[in-house]
Each structure stands twice: as C-alpha cells, then as structure tokens.
Amino acid sequence: MNKDILVKLLQQRQFKAVRSILDVMNEVDIASLLSELDGKELALAFRLIPKDKAAEVFANMDSSMQTYLVEIFSEKELKELLDDLYMDDTVDLLEELPANLVNRILDTVSAADRALINQLLNYPEDSAGSIMTTEYVDIRESMTVAQAMAHIKETGIHKETIYTCYVTDKRKLIGIVSAKDLMTTDDNVQIKDLMETEIISVATHTDKEAVAQLFTKYDFLAIPVLDTGGRMVGIVTFDDAMDVMVEEATEDITKMAAINPSEKTYFETPVLIHAKNRIPWLLILMFTSVITGTIITKYEDAFAAVPLLVAFIPMLMDTGGNCGAQSSTLIIRGIALSQIRFADLFRVMFKEFRISLVVGSVLAVSNGVRILIQYQDTSLAVVIALSLMGTIIMAKLIGCILPLCASRIHLDPALMASPLITTLVDIFSILIYFQIATTLFHL
Amino acid sequence: MNKDILVKLLQQRQFKAVRSILDVMNEVDIASLLSELDGKELALAFRLIPKDKAAEVFANMDSSMQTYLVEIFSEKELKELLDDLYMDDTVDLLEELPANLVNRILDTVSAADRALINQLLNYPEDSAGSIMTTEYVDIRESMTVAQAMAHIKETGIHKETIYTCYVTDKRKLIGIVSAKDLMTTDDNVQIKDLMETEIISVATHTDKEAVAQLFTKYDFLAIPVLDTGGRMVGIVTFDDAMDVMVEEATEDITKMAAINPSEKTYFETPVLIHAKNRIPWLLILMFTSVITGTIITKYEDAFAAVPLLVAFIPMLMDTGGNCGAQSSTLIIRGIALSQIRFADLFRVMFKEFRISLVVGSVLAVSNGVRILIQYQDTSLAVVIALSLMGTIIMAKLIGCILPLCASRIHLDPALMASPLITTLVDIFSILIYFQIATTLFHL
C-alpha cells in the first residue's frame, strides 16, 4: 500500500479496509509508511494497527513521530503501549523524549519497571547495559524439557527472544539451552543434562562494539549480560548487535575522513553541527600543512632557477598522500577486524616496504618516461622518478606505522587515516623532492 | 585451553582429557585453537572433537586447514563430515579446494547431493544463491501445531535453522511460521491459521548486499530464496548476512582509498597482488594531477614576482582535499545506508553550500589573521582568505555532486571518494588561487 491510498482510505473513513491491509503488512514497512503521514492522519492510522503489531511498529518509528504519539495518547493507550514495548525500546524512547513526557511515562509504569528503567538509563552510553533488554526466558536446571516448553508457552510471548533460554540459580547464570535443543529432545530429559555450561557472556559495562564483535565471531542469536556480581541482568539480541555494527562502521568511516562522528543521519544533522564536526580537524590539518609551505620557501632559490620544479609539487604530494592513505586504510580496517595487531608491526612494515618497491618502480618509470618524452630532459626525469620512489616508500611506511602505534596507546586508529597521513606525507615528500632536486641540479 | 597445554596433552596421549575439554569448548574457539597446530597434531586433535561438534568446527577453519584435513581423511571420515556439514559450508569448501579433492568429495556424496552442489556452485559469486543453504524446515498448511512440532523434532537437528519454518505447497512458498509462534500456540491450531502469508523473499540472483540490507531492515533470522519459477530453493541465514555486511563495509572502505578490493585478509594477500590492487588508481590519479602542475606553470611569472605564493599551495590543496573528502565520505555512506538518494541532489548541494560558508569563514579568518600577524601583509592575507573560501565552497560541492551522480549512472559511489575528489579539487583550487592572486596583486 502506498501513502496516497492510505490517506484516501482514511479520509473515506474505510477503517476496516485499512485495518485488514495493515494486518498483513510487516511492522517495519508500516512504520515507514506511517512516517509519510502528518499528525492527525498518523494518530488515526496508528490506532488502526492490530494490537499485536502496534508496539513493534512504534519501536521502528523515528523519535519525532514517537514523541508526537506519546503526547496525544490517552493514559490507557500509553499503558497498553508500554506493556507491549520491550524494555530496550522503552529505554531508547525515553532517551529521546523531552523531560515532561519522560515523567509522564515513568508515572504510567509500575514501580518495579520504573526502578528497572532508571537502572538501564544509568548505564554508560556505549555499554552493553545500554542496549540490553530484560525480557528473556529464565528456566531452572531441575525442569524437564516438557516443563521448560510449558514455561515458554506460558511466558514466551512477552520475551524478546525465546530461542536462547537461560538456566539460572539464585540469579546466577549456570547454563544455556537453545530452543532447537528443546524442540529436538525428548520431553522427559532434564535441563541440567541438556544445558551447555561453557557460557560466553558480557558485563553491563562491556563496550557495545566488543559485544557486536562477539556476535560476528560466534553467530549468536543473543548474549547474556551479567552485572559486576555475576548475576544475570539481561540479554543483547542479534538485531541490536547488527545495528551497532552498522553504526560503528559509519563512525569509523566518518573519523577516517577527519570528521567528528554524529549519531544522527546526514539530513537530521543541522548545518551548524555539520560545520562544528568538520572544523576542528580542518584547522589542525590546515596549520600543519603550513609547515610544508615553510619548507618550500627555504628552497625559493631552487625554483627561481628551475621554475618547472614547482609544477611537480601537486603530483608528488597527491601520489604520496594516496599511497599513504592506501596503506593506512588497509591497516585500520585490519585492526578493526582484529586481523592485525601491534605485535605485527615489523611484519607489516616489511610487507609495505616490498609493496612500495613494486608500486614505486611502476610509477617512477612511467612518469619518468613521460617527462623524458615531454621535456627531453634526463636530469628532470631522474629527479622526479627518484623523488616518486622515495615519497612512495616513505608514505607507505608512515601509513602503516601510525595506525598501529595509535592502537598501541589506545588511540582510535581511524584517526590516523588519510587526511592526517596526507598532511604528514606532504612534509616529507617536499623534503625528499627538493633534497634530490638541489643535489642533482647542483642548486 | 591454550595451544601449549593441548600439544602437551596430545604428546602424552591423554586423549580422554583432550576430548572432555573440547567437549565444553565453543566450536569457533576450537577452530581457532586448532589453527595453531601443525599437520600431524591437527589431524590427531580434530579426530578427538566430539562428533556433534566436528562439522561446525570444520566449517570455521580456514581453507588451507580444510584442504589438509580433506586430503588425509579416510573415505568413511569424509562421508561422516559431509553428512553433517550444511550445504552452504560444503559449497564454500568446494570453492576453495584443488580440483582433485573436489572430485573426491563429489564422488563421496549421493547423486542427489551432487546435483544440488553443482547447481549451487553455478550461482553467480555475489548472488543470494551463492550464500544460501538448502537445509530448512518445510511444513504443510494442513498440519496442526503439534504435527509441525513433531516434524521438527524428527528432522530439525539437521536443519541450519528451525526458528523460521516454511509452509510450501508443490514447492511454492505459501506461508511462514516462526518457532516462537509454534511454541506459544495451542497444539491443535492449524498451521494455515497461524502462518503469515505476506512474505518477504529474495531471488537466487539477488545481489547478496541487497539481501544483507533486508536483514538489517527487518531483523530477520532467515530469508527464503526463490528460483525464477517462484519455487523455494533455500534460505539465507542471519549469520551469513552479517558476514556479507562486514565484507561489504571492508570493500567500500577499500574502494574509498583507491584500492581494488581483495577477498583475502591483509596478510593472506601476497605483495604482488597488493601492488596490483593499488597501482591502477595511483597511475590514473598521478597523471590527473599533472594537470594541476601544468596550470601552475602557466602562472610562472606570478610566483617569480611573489615567490611566497608557492608556499601556500600545499595548504590550499590539502584543505580543499580534506573538505571535499569530508563531504564525499558522508554522502557515500548516506547512499550506502539508503539515507540519501540522487533525488536529494539539490537539497544536499544547498546544505553543503551553507556548511561550506560556515567552515570557509572560520578557516579563512583564522588563517588570514595568522598571515597578517606573521607577514604584516594585508593583500596576502586577503588573497589567502578569499582563496580558502572559494576552494572550500568548490570542494564541498564537488564532494557531494560526484558520488550522487555516480549513483545515478549505477557506478559505485565509493569510487568517488577522497583520492579522486582531492585530485579534482587540486585543479580548481590552484585555478581559484592564482586567479585571485594575479588579480589582487595586479600580476
């Protein structure tokens, strides 16, 4: 269904038709369809969503629409919604709402939920605690498979996942049973004979990026979260881990372009915030490249004698910057995927050195030949070829050393990406170039 | 357990101890532990893995270890392994093995499996067909919940996932039921009253990146794959989709650094392949930046008269490149996440224009003031400030226009990243700079 049909049906008050269409649509698609409606239509359409889908649709809406709906909901509607929302989605909602609406919600929920919500809101922003949910299936080791299945039938509908069941004893996590095991095992087998006791878990304060990496490594559907006392307090599910992975990749890519990352999308971020995120690194890099300029002025006599020398500055700087960026990008990505560590430094340097010999030879020869043909000047061709070779070796070494050293001192390697490398490589490429030129031309 | 302990236990022939330790370890961890062993120990340790874990451990090994094991396995061992391996892992294995071992495997499996394997091997490399598996739960709409559960108990152990069950009729997919629905619904309800009939599916030839995006959007555990006749042929599971997401992010990041992407990790890729992946773009960019050099020679008289002008070239080029890279990176990522489309071109341009006014003012004023203080030369300060302003506006516009236009003509926007933008921005920044300088200095 598209927006125009929906609006027309709403205007004609064909609510039954709307309801039966919404009944077969996926929750994510309903949320994106509703996002095209304006206030009054939105409220009307939202109230026509079948009750078992409403909370899920709500969780998939963006925060401005959520805020609007919470504002206009009756006490009863709000209570129904909050009963059906998973705890992690409730916390996400509260983090975006204005204070008066937060209070309205906290007044609506039970005292126990209020305490839980406050606890969840207190976990650090990037921690496992901040993305976990508290609705998981909790069973006992003394149960049989049949008893566990009966327990799930009774309580499972309100759990975010029932596919991983947690065996606890006085809130301590002692085992894990998958729904697959339950469904393929005989009824009278005891949980304690079925459960896995080698458990991979995270702490509430574990960084959410580390949590996401565990999901990629082990292909989990959910991972248990333990508090500092080792008690089970929640689970992180794979869908939230996937979101974290996408967010972290965006954050890395943004940092690699010398931008302070933003949590909002491009269009959601106002012009002034965009500018604020971009200016600091630009200023730092601009004043760093002044050094390159200062070095150039030292060789004023050289390019006064051979003005053509100036013409090759952009080519050398660009090639150096590109070579350095290639190396740093591969190393930064390798570090992010845990394929390269600081201990590999010398192995990486040796590899980049050999690569730069090959790359440097190809580029130096092809550009040297071009200069020979264009200017019929052997010395110039040799100067440029040698400078290229030196610049490329230097650029590739800087490009691999800096990110690895950053990782060693717990700085984000993504900061050592192309812009910073380019600026540093510039300085050295100019030094190499004019050193070779003045020597060979006896300037 | 670490490698040293394992090797010691193997040497002391304490096989029972090894077996009971491996029994409680996670399959992924066993695979990574075994990867540290050499040939003979590896074979010995692999044979000690409990049978229900062996196939999963094997699937998590890298291809050189898999090849070694297939080589030394007896007929019987190979058959047992292939029986337990999921079809997608079997196909992955075959894609990496040398021809003689491929034949050995095809001889071992049944004729039906051989036909299936050949069909799977024929799907294009980046298609849903190439990453799907054929082991899914297939039920009938006439079954009751109890019958479906009994069917799963009987066959489920060999399915890659039992959490999404597919209702088919003459191989046509007519509905989907989740294990959660089955587990929380009364035994005598009929599948046809429980199943969802609004089905999101992909075709065998759907690009695997598009498949992964559906997983991120809808939080699916699995997605059905249909052939051109609409018959169900397999499923893609979320773990494979996660792998695709990581691969695609790596590919984008690599392309954005002007490198042809490689499927292997940094260390797995030989030096000559690294060089081959890096040289083409470096050559193109190197010869493009010759244009900038040629433009500079046109202004030889200008910098002969005011040699200081040369000193500001690196700063202007770097700042322009960085500004362009910032814009292009955000736009490329926005396109990849479907947040920005070509239709937004003018909206993006207007936004980038306003951002560049803010960024340009801050950078122009701060650098202008520095020059005024350092050189006490108002004209120079004005020339540099104006050039910076012009360069930044131009760079941000190029940075947003190029990726969007690339996406319009179905070129990968990631190719329009920092290196290409930098080279193009160089040309214009030099033009802007010398135009302003010659005008204001009356050169």
Side-chain angles (χ1 to χ4, degrees), chain A residues 24 26 28-29 86 149 152-153 156-157 159 162-163 178-180 183-185 187 198 200 215-221 238-239 242 245-246 249-250 253-254 256-259 265-267 269 271 274-275 278-279 282-283 285-287 289-290 292-293 296-297 300 303 307-308 310-311 314-315 317-319 322-323 326-327 329-331 333 337 339-340 344 347-348 351-352 354-355 358-359 362-363 366-367 370 388 396 418-419 422 426, chain B residues 24 26 28-29 86 149 152-153 156-157 159 162-163 178-180 183-185 187 198 200 215-221 238-239 242 245-246 249-250 253-254 256-259 265-267 269 271 274-275 278-279 282-283 285-287 289-290 292-293 296-297 300 303 307-308 310-311 314-315 317-319 322-323 326-327 329-331 333 337 339-340 344 347-348 351-352 354-355 358-359 362-363 366-367 370 388 396 418-419 422 426:
Chain A
V24 295
N26 181 291
V28 179
D29 293 327
Y86 292 122
M149 292 286 272
I152 293 172
K153 181 165 267 176
I157 198 87
K159 306 301 182 187
I162 62 171
Y163 298 144
S178 73
K180 184 171 183 177
M183 291 171 80
T184 54
T185 305
D187 280 354
E198 184 89 344
I200 293 164
F215 276 88
T216 332
K217 181 173 174 192
Y218 293 106
D219 298 336
F220 290 139
L221 287 176
F238 80 100
D239 51 318
M242 281 224 243
M245 277 169 53
V246 174
T250 305
I253 291 173
T254 313
M256 286 168 76
I259 309 171
T265 65
Y266 178 80
F267 285 124
T269 312
V271 167
H274 268 296
R278 300 185 194 184
I279 288 175
L282 287 179
L283 276 177
L285 295 169
M286 183 175 76
F287 285 118
S289 60
V290 167
T292 316
I296 289 182
T297 55
E300 222 168 78
F303 61 80
L308 198 54
V310 177
M315 188 272 296
M317 276 174 46
D318 281 351
T319 305
N322 291 335
C323 283
Q326 288 182 333
S327 304
T329 301
L330 289 182
I331 304 303
R333 187 64 183 163
L337 298 180
Q339 292 162 351
I340 302 176
D344 299 317
R347 213 174 133 205
V348 171
K351 187 150 193 160
E352 285 299 310
R354 286 175 294 156
I355 296 170
V358 181
V359 172
V362 174
L363 267 66
S366 54
N367 214 342
R370 177 196 64 102
L388 261 174
K396 295 235 170 264
S418 140
T422 302
D426 281 355
Chain B
V24 295
N26 181 290
V28 179
D29 293 327
Y86 292 123
M149 293 286 273
I152 293 172
K153 180 164 268 175
I157 198 87
K159 306 301 183 187
I162 61 171
Y163 298 144
S178 73
K180 183 171 184 176
M183 290 171 82
T184 54
T185 305
D187 280 354
E198 184 88 345
I200 294 164
F215 276 89
T216 332
K217 182 172 175 194
Y218 292 108
D219 297 336
F220 290 138
L221 286 177
F238 80 99
D239 51 318
M242 281 224 242
M245 276 170 53
V246 174
T250 304
I253 290 174
T254 314
M256 286 168 75
I259 308 171
T265 65
Y266 179 80
F267 285 123
T269 311
V271 167
H274 268 295
R278 300 185 193 184
I279 288 174
L282 288 178
L283 276 177
L285 295 170
M286 184 175 75
F287 286 118
S289 60
V290 166
T292 316
I296 290 183
T297 55
E300 223 169 75
F303 62 79
L308 198 53
V310 177
M315 188 272 296
M317 278 176 43
D318 281 351
T319 306
N322 291 335
C323 283
Q326 288 182 332
S327 304
T329 301
L330 289 181
I331 304 303
R333 187 64 183 163
L337 298 179
Q339 291 161 351
I340 302 177
D344 299 317
R347 212 173 135 206
V348 171
K351 188 150 194 161
E352 286 299 310
R354 285 175 296 157
I355 296 170
V358 181
V359 172
V362 173
L363 266 66
S366 53
N367 213 341
R370 177 196 63 102
L388 261 175
K396 294 234 170 265
S418 139
T422 303
D426 281 356

Side-chain angles (χ1 to χ4, degrees), chain A residues 128-249:
Chain A
S130 73
I131 54 168
M132 75 180 186
T133 192
T134 51
E135 290 98 347
Y136 56 88
V137 176
D138 189 7
I139 54 178
R140 303 278 157 273
E141 60 173 342
S142 57
M143 286 178 171
T144 61
V145 166
Q147 285 170 331
M149 292 286 272
H151 177 72
I152 293 172
K153 181 165 267 176
E154 203 179 308
T155 63
I157 198 87
H158 293 296
K159 306 301 182 187
E160 181 146 2
T161 182
I162 62 171
Y163 298 144
T164 313
C165 305
Y166 299 90
V167 189
T168 59
D169 183 24
K170 301 197 188 86
R171 296 196 57 205
K172 295 262 179 197
L173 178 61
I174 56 172
I176 287 184
V177 178
S178 73
K180 184 171 183 177
D181 289 337
L182 292 177
M183 291 171 80
T184 54
T185 305
D186 287 333
D187 280 354
N188 46 3
V189 173
Q190 277 209 309
I191 295 300
K192 72 161 170 273
D193 299 323
L194 189 61
M195 70 189 190
E196 275 191 48
T197 52
E198 184 89 344
I199 300 165
I200 293 164
S201 64
V202 296
T204 48
H205 58 264
T206 305
D207 188 272
K208 65 182 182 183
E209 190 169 1
V211 178
Q213 279 175 351
L214 286 177
F215 276 88
T216 332
K217 181 173 174 192
Y218 293 106
D219 298 336
F220 290 139
L221 287 176
I223 200 168
V225 184
L226 310 185
D227 68 10
T228 41
R231 288 175 297 268
M232 174 143 181
V233 288
I235 55 171
V236 175
T237 49
F238 80 100
D239 51 318
D240 296 315
M242 281 224 243
D243 292 343
V244 170
M245 277 169 53
V246 174
E247 273 170 37
E248 296 292 336

Side-chain angles (χ1 to χ4, degrees), chain A residues 50-66:
Chain A
K51 193 165 165 353
D52 60 327
K53 285 187 173 176
E56 179 87 32
V57 172
F58 185 85
N60 274 294
M61 290 177 160
D62 63 30
S63 54
S64 61
M65 289 170 65
Q66 290 179 333

Side-chain angles (χ1 to χ4, degrees), chain A residues 380-394:
Chain A
L380 188 64
V382 170
V383 166
I384 299 300
L386 284 180
S387 303
L388 261 174
M389 195 74 201
T391 298
I392 290 169
I393 294 174
M394 174 271 304

Side-chain angles (χ1 to χ4, degrees), chain A residues 308 371-382 441:
Chain A
L308 198 54
I371 291 167
L372 213 53
I373 294 171
Q374 192 174 347
Y375 301 98
Q376 268 113 35
D377 182 338
T378 319
S379 321
L380 188 64
V382 170
F441 284 131

